[in-house]
């Protein structure tokens, strides 16, 4: 099995949210449901000195969707087995014929990936744009990023190219679910 | 707060489980007293407990987005605490109904059935707590969850059994048994309160740091519910004082009404405690 994953170059990410909007548009997501989200992490503050006001504020952005983890807590805890990993590419998807809409996966995903759809009464999440990929295209978030800060592909290849950092400031520990995520950390984001 | 169905489910189920436990304990203590007709005494309590557990079942369905798929929730017993809890809850509800049906059909009480229901019920409380303590929600991921759930089980079970048994005991002129049972109920409530207190004392020491991205800090949430937390404890103390009065008082006139008021007081305080529990995570 080839395990697929995402590479996020936080050095390039400007927090423009184009990936979020492209994902919403592609998946026709209602307000409040975001398969991909951009998290802003800000530290520091302002101080007064003789020279006036000085600041040491640092801000960076991390774009996160489902990381199609090696040990997905959502799948382990789903009472219905609706959440499962595809054998062919390790992508975590939801079988809507089984999902009961209990939202327990929400409490178990460190990255906030499963999103409840009130209208369906079921959980929904990033499936790496399976239909686009079958048509030979990139996932919508990858294609929409103006900074080319997101890549999608076999995680082994991504790790070979970019290393294996998945722990940066603002993200939960990668030891919880072993995400298939590689991040080029922003200069202020290294843990 | 959008977890009202879960609040109702956990509170009703824990009250029913605690109630069955108290009935089993009562009949164990009084099994040699031939003057006591256990069937007459337990008939209504067993029906109420069975109905209460069915209300809990209904509330659990109200929590689901697609209740038609409810049977699927038993598919992951191997690794999901929710699957395990649903199985054991189903077993308890079945046993609560069997206890009531047995009593009505056979016109007697089966102490074995009561014991089995109690044991399954206690396992069920463990499974309920394990769902939350195995989640990544920081404030739930603590021994506090177990102590709080068992605490509520003992407290509500005791006051429910008091409200259901005391009126009949007084009607049957079993004042000695009523007083003895009130004393046991008071001790059980104090044990339950002790569980809560130990849980809260251990809370900061055992709570796992928040592991979910962008989750709200526990201290911030708790600070906005200070009033409710304080009221819950004031109400609990009032409830304990009322139970203490019931134990000591020889005035029979209001004892029945007061035992129902004690039940209401503790439903309110345990409900508030559970409310704060859910706003911490959901």
């Amino acid at each position: 099995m080839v395990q697929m994953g995402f590479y996020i170059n936080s050095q390039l990410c400007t927090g423009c949210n184009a990936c979020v909007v492209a994902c919403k548009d592609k998946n026709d997501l209602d307000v409040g449901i975001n398969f991909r989200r951009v998290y802003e992490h800000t530290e520091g503050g302002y101080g007064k000195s003789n020279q006036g006001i000085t600041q040491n504020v640092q801000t960076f952005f991390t774009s996160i969707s489902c990381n199609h983890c090696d040990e997905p807590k959502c799948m382990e805890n789903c009472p219905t087995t609706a959440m499962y990993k595809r054998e062919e590419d390790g992508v975590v998807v939801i079988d809507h014929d089984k999902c009961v809409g209990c939202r327990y996966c929400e409490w178990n995903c460190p990255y906030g990936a499963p999103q409840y759809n009130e209208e369906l009464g079921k959980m929904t999440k990033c499936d790496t744009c399976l239909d686009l990929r079958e048509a030979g295209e990139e996932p919508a978030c990858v294609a929409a990023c103006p900074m080319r800060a997101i890549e999608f592909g076999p995680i082994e290849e991504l790790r070979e190219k970019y290393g294996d950092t998945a722990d940066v400031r603002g993200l939960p520990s990668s030891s919880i679910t072993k995400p298939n995520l590689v991040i080029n950390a922003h200069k202020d984001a290294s843990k | 707060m959008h977890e009202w169905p879960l609040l109702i489910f956990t509170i009703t189920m824990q009250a029913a489980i605690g109630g069955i436990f108290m009935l089993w304990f009562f009949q164990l203590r009084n099994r040699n007293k031939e003057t006591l007709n256990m069937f007459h005494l337990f008939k209504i309590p067993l029906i109420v407990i069975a109905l209460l557990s069915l209300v809990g079942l209904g509330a659990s369905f109200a929590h689901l987005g697609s209740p038609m798929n409810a049977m699927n929730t038993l598919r992951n017993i191997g690794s999901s605490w929710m699957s395990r809890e649903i199985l054991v809850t189903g077993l308890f509800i079945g046993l609560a109904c069997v206890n009531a049906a047995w009593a009505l059909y056979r016109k007697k009480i089966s102490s074995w059935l009561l014991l089995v229901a109690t044991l399954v019920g206690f396992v069920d409380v463990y499974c309920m707590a394990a769902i939350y303590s195995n989640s990544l929600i920081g404030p739930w991921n603590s021994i506090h969850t177990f102590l709080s759930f068992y605490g509520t089980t003992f407290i509500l079970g005791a006051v429910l059994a008091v409200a259901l048994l005391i009126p009949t005991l007084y009607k049957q002129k079993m004042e000695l048994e009523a007083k003895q049972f009130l004393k046991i109920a008071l001790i059980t409530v104090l044990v339950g309160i002790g569980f809560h207190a130990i849980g809260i004392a251990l809370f900061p020491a055992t709570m796992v740091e928040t592991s979910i991205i962008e989750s709200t800090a526990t201290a911030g949430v708790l600070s906005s519910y200070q009033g409710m937390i304080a009221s819950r404890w004031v109400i609990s103390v009032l409830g304990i004082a009322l139970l203490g009065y019931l134990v000591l008082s020889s005035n029979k006139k209001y004892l029945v009404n007061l035992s129902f008021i004690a039940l209401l007081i503790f439903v309110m305080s345990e409900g508030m405690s559970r409310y704060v529990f859910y706003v911490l995570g959901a």
Side-chain angles (χ1 to χ4, degrees):
Chain A
M1 180 190 86
V2 178
Q3 172 66 56
M4 304 300 273
F6 284 106
Y7 165 68
I8 309 293
N9 190 343
S10 271
Q11 283 280 31
L12 296 181
C13 180
T14 59
C16 72
N17 278 281
C19 51
V20 177
V21 175
C23 175
K24 278 184 91 79
D25 185 35
K26 151 70 177 70
N27 292 295
D28 198 18
L29 303 179
D30 277 345
V31 173
I33 303 177
N34 297 307
F35 293 172
R36 182 167 281 282
R37 299 155 308 283
V38 172
Y39 295 100
E40 180 181 324
H41 189 90
T42 302
E43 285 177 346
Y46 297 87
K48 275 185 183 170
S49 67
N50 290 338
Q51 281 78 40
I53 294 171
T54 54
Q55 60 89 11
N56 66 341
V57 177
Q58 307 157 6
T59 296
F60 59 88
F61 304 94
T62 316
S63 172
I64 289 290
S65 69
C66 172
N67 296 311
H68 307 284
C69 307
D70 283 344
E71 293 172 12
K73 284 269 176 195
C74 58
M75 184 174 133
E76 180 189 320
N77 288 292
C78 171
T80 67
T81 66
M83 195 75 83
Y84 70 100
K85 252 175 116 62
R86 279 162 43 106
E87 275 179 22
E88 54 269 51
D89 56 10
V91 168
V92 177
V93 288
I94 302 172
D95 180 349
H96 276 175
D97 289 338
K98 287 184 185 168
C99 180
V100 71
C102 68
R103 306 179 73 158
Y104 193 28
C105 48
E106 239 178 16
W107 299 347
N108 287 286
C109 173
Y111 303 100
Q115 308 261 312
Y116 184 63
N117 185 315
E118 200 92 44
E119 212 173 300
L120 290 175
K122 292 174 189 200
M123 300 310 294
T124 52
K125 66 184 281 301
C126 157
D127 67 352
T128 69
C129 295
L130 287 173
D131 50 349
L132 292 181
R133 291 210 289 123
E134 272 165 23
E137 294 178 42
E138 297 269 33
C141 54
V142 176
C145 178
M147 306 303 290
R148 293 288 170 262
I150 310 177
E151 267 183 61
F152 178 75
I155 196 70
E156 283 310 314
E157 286 177 20
L158 294 174
R159 284 184 181 137
E160 231 166 77
K161 270 161 76 179
Y162 303 115
D164 56 4
T165 304
D167 289 290
V168 297
R169 273 194 201 158
L171 277 194
S173 167
S174 64
S175 65
I176 304 170
T177 59
K178 304 203 171 27
N180 285 299
L181 172 72
V182 174
I183 298 182
N184 180 25
H186 186 271
K187 64 181 169 54
D188 297 323
S190 300
K191 268 194 174 176
Chain B
M1 162 74 178
H2 56 267
E3 304 295 352
W4 282 104
L6 289 180
L7 188 152
I8 295 166
F9 166 72
T10 53
I11 290 283
T12 50
M13 289 309 298
Q14 285 162 23
I17 291 163
I20 284 261
F21 163 66
M22 292 303 286
L23 293 187
W24 170 76
F25 193 75
F26 180 89
Q27 63 79 36
L28 183 75
R29 253 186 87 86
N30 296 290
R31 64 189 182 282
N32 296 327
K33 289 185 181 161
E34 284 165 12
T35 46
L36 272 179
N37 184 333
M38 291 292 178
F39 165 67
H40 280 299
L41 205 55
F42 279 15
K43 189 172 68 176
I44 300 295
L46 284 174
I47 292 171
V48 170
I49 285 170
L51 288 175
L52 203 56
S53 63
L54 290 172
V55 169
L57 181 69
S60 72
F61 272 84
H63 166 69
L64 303 177
S66 300
M68 294 299 283
N69 280 353
M71 284 311 285
N72 287 336
T73 53
L74 295 171
R75 296 173 83 114
N76 205 7
I77 304 283
S79 71
S80 171
W81 275 105
M82 187 173 275
S83 268
R84 293 168 188 164
E85 183 249 17
I86 288 164
L87 175 71
V88 183
T89 301
L91 271 177
F92 174 79
I93 294 171
L95 283 163
C97 293
V98 167
N99 265 291
W102 181 277
L104 292 174
Y105 183 66
R106 301 289 296 262
K107 305 269 184 260
K108 62 178 185 180
I109 302 302
S110 164
S111 59
W112 284 107
L113 267 178
L114 280 173
L115 178 61
V116 172
T118 299
L119 295 176
V120 170
F122 283 163
V123 174
D124 191 20
V125 177
Y126 182 90
C127 293
M128 276 184 216
I131 286 179
Y132 299 96
S133 69
N134 279 284
S135 75
L136 294 181
I137 309 275
W140 292 346
N141 203 326
S142 150
I143 195 169
H144 165 259
T145 303
F146 288 95
L147 290 163
S148 158
F149 280 25
Y150 277 108
T152 301
T153 304
F154 286 124
I155 293 168
L156 290 185
V159 286
L160 177 69
V162 162
L164 293 172
L165 285 180
I166 295 300
T168 323
L169 283 171
Y170 273 102
K171 213 181 281 174
Q172 293 183 4
K173 308 258 181 270
M174 303 284 181
E175 285 163 31
L176 184 68
E177 284 79 3
K179 283 282 176 208
Q180 276 176 347
F181 188 62
L182 276 167
K183 216 178 285 175
I184 290 165
L186 176 61
I187 292 166
T188 312
V189 166
L190 289 173
V191 168
I193 294 281
F195 273 37
H196 277 300
I198 295 168
I200 287 162
L202 290 175
F203 187 55
T206 58
M207 191 188 80
V208 172
E209 273 302 305
T210 302
S211 346
I212 291 188
I213 194 166
E214 290 241 311
S215 41
T216 324
T218 307
V221 180
L222 277 178
S223 67
S224 45
Y225 286 93
Q226 280 178 55
M228 184 176 275
I229 295 165
S231 316
R232 170 257 196 285
W233 284 104
V234 170
I235 294 171
S236 293
V237 170
L238 285 176
I240 293 167
L242 181 56
L243 274 180
Y245 171 77
L246 288 174
V247 172
L248 298 172
S249 166
S250 51
N251 178 359
K252 278 180 278 172
K253 202 174 168 191
Y254 299 112
L255 282 182
V256 174
N257 289 342
L258 289 179
S259 64
F260 276 100
I261 291 171
L263 173 63
L264 277 178
I265 282 176
F266 280 106
V267 167
M268 203 187 291
S269 71
E270 293 308 292
M272 287 161 90
S273 162
R274 196 55 49 81
Y275 185 92
V276 173
F277 176 83
Y278 279 111
V279 292
L280 278 177

